[in-house]
């Protein structure tokens, strides 16, 4: 069984991977347990993107983790672009008393995107 034992580098890689996967786990649990609504989708995707960007720039993570984070960001962006194909997400955000257009401005959306919303 010793030949299947993880060495220190492999344990380190797993610890890094755990850090990255936590944000995805938290989002999955939130959308599975809470009562999600359309107004939480875009902020959740923005938070995940922000975290993944932070991880991708952190030199503490190995090149393999950086590559995995890059692929995760590509996948997230593909789903994010799908929200553009329907107006319902933006309408929900604009009509929500807490968000309105303030969320888009605080998130530094381009003026053209805010005007479209």
């Amino acid at each position: 069984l010793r030949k299947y034992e993880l060495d220190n580098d492999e344990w380190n890689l797993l610890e890094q991977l755990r850090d990255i996967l936590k944000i995805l786990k938290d989002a999955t649990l939130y959308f599975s347990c809470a009562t999600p609504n359309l107004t939480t989708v875009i902020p959740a995707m923005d938070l995940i993107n922000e975290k993944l960007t932070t991880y991708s720039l952190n030199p503490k993570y190995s090149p393999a983790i950086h590559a995995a984070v890059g692929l995760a960001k590509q996948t997230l962006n593909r789903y994010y672009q799908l929200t553009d194909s329907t107006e319902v997400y933006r309408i929900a955000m604009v009509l929500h008393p807490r968000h309105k257009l303030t969320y888009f401005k605080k998130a530094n959306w381009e003026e053209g995107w805010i005007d479209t919303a």
Side-chain angles (χ1 to χ4, degrees):
L1 290 175
R2 286 274 180 210
K3 70 179 181 179
Y4 298 112
E5 186 176 48
L6 297 176
D7 64 26
N8 287 339
D9 290 337
E10 291 168 325
W11 277 112
N12 186 35
L13 191 62
L14 285 173
E15 288 172 357
Q16 292 176 22
L17 187 58
R18 179 203 57 211
D19 294 347
I20 306 303
L21 292 176
K22 184 177 183 324
I23 185 69
L24 301 174
K25 175 189 172 201
D26 291 347
T28 300
L29 290 175
Y30 174 76
F31 283 110
S32 297
C33 298
T35 307
N37 58 55
L38 292 175
T39 61
T40 59
V41 172
I42 290 176
M45 292 177 94
D46 284 343
L47 177 64
I48 293 168
N49 186 56
E50 179 184 317
K51 293 284 188 180
L52 291 177
T53 299
T54 300
Y55 295 141
S56 72
L57 299 174
N58 191 333
K60 143 184 169 178
Y61 295 109
S62 74
I65 296 296
H66 283 206
V69 168
L71 292 172
K73 282 182 61 72
Q74 286 177 8
T75 302
L76 179 66
N77 288 335
R78 189 171 63 239
Y79 283 105
Y80 205 122
Q81 288 172 353
L82 291 174
T83 66
D84 289 339
S85 65
T86 179
E87 296 174 347
V88 72
Y89 293 98
R90 292 184 299 270
I91 291 169
M93 294 286 289
V94 170
L95 292 178
H96 193 281
R98 182 172 149 216
H99 296 300
K100 304 229 177 257
L101 292 176
T102 305
Y103 177 82
F104 300 117
K105 291 175 183 174
K106 285 183 180 178
N108 294 319
W109 281 37
E110 294 178 14
E111 278 301 317
W113 293 354
I114 294 172
D115 292 343
T116 300

